[in-house]
Amino acid sequence: MAKPIKVIQKTELTEEEKKKQSLENLLSGVAENKESLLETLMLLQELHESGITETLGSLLKTKEKAAKIAVGQLTRKPVTNMINNAMAAGGILTELDPETTGKLAKSLTSGLQRAEQGLKEDYKIGLFDLMKAIKDPDINRALGFGFNLLKGMGEGLKE
């Protein structure tokens, strides 16, 4: 009967063998990814020829100064106002029903087209035309929408 193995000898690679194995792994990776590496090299060449790599290198060397300038620009009052307004507009848009917003945008487009057509005709509107227009169901619907919009805005401004 064979003797049981009591000691397992771990083979330690020398530094030279580790380097050789790393180099073989690297060459294998290059061979497997030849096309993507060539495309990456071409991209880097284009970036170098256009001066972008030089610009990025300079930017990285002066990163603290560039960061101070960027932060200084971002903390200016007009920029912070723009960011706050964008966030408020985003908050408003999350509360609106997308179907209603789409319908409103479509009707606004239609209204602008009709208004442009009216400008080309250069028609003068008289008092009787206004009275007649109020009876038009489309105009009456838009007026009702506008009055309700103004009512809601007024209630919101009261708070």
Side-chain angles (χ1 to χ4, degrees):
M1 195 149 119
K3 290 182 182 178
I5 299 173
K6 293 182 180 178
V7 178
I8 299 174
Q9 289 184 348
K10 192 174 184 182
T11 55
E12 292 283 328
L13 296 177
T14 65
E15 200 62 36
E16 189 68 31
E17 290 172 329
K18 287 180 184 178
K19 286 181 182 179
K20 185 177 178 182
Q21 192 175 18
S22 289
L23 189 57
E24 287 174 3
N25 288 342
L26 183 62
L27 287 173
S28 173
V30 167
E32 289 174 11
N33 298 299
K34 175 187 170 192
E35 291 298 318
S36 61
L37 287 172
L38 287 174
E39 285 181 28
T40 304
L41 287 173
M42 287 174 28
L43 176 65
L44 281 173
Q45 183 63 33
E46 289 292 327
L47 290 173
H48 176 71
E49 288 173 4
S50 67
I52 292 175
T53 53
E54 184 180 344
T55 303
L56 288 175
S58 299
L59 184 62
L60 288 174
K61 288 177 186 172
T62 61
K63 60 185 167 226
E64 285 184 30
K65 288 180 184 177
K68 285 180 184 176
I69 292 170
V71 169
Q73 292 297 313
L74 289 173
T75 56
R76 289 185 9 230
K77 182 101 171 130
V79 176
T80 56
N81 283 347
M82 180 188 67
I83 292 169
N84 289 336
N85 286 334
M87 289 173 57
I92 290 169
L93 290 174
T94 60
E95 293 179 21
L96 295 175
D97 177 28
E99 194 173 308
T100 303
T101 307
K103 189 175 184 180
L104 181 62
K106 187 176 178 182
S107 62
L108 181 62
T109 303
S110 176
L112 287 172
Q113 289 171 348
R114 179 68 69 98
E116 186 177 350
Q117 185 181 23
L119 281 175
K120 289 177 183 175
E121 293 173 5
D122 197 29
Y123 177 73
K124 302 271 185 202
I125 296 176
L127 186 59
F128 288 113
D129 293 323
L130 285 174
M131 299 300 281
K132 196 161 74 172
I134 290 175
K135 293 180 182 179
D136 183 318
D138 293 330
I139 292 175
N140 195 288
R141 189 177 311 110
L143 284 172
F145 180 83
F147 286 142
N148 286 319
L149 175 71
L150 292 172
K151 176 76 173 164
M153 284 177 61
E155 289 171 355
L157 290 172
K158 184 171 52 177
E159 295 172 3

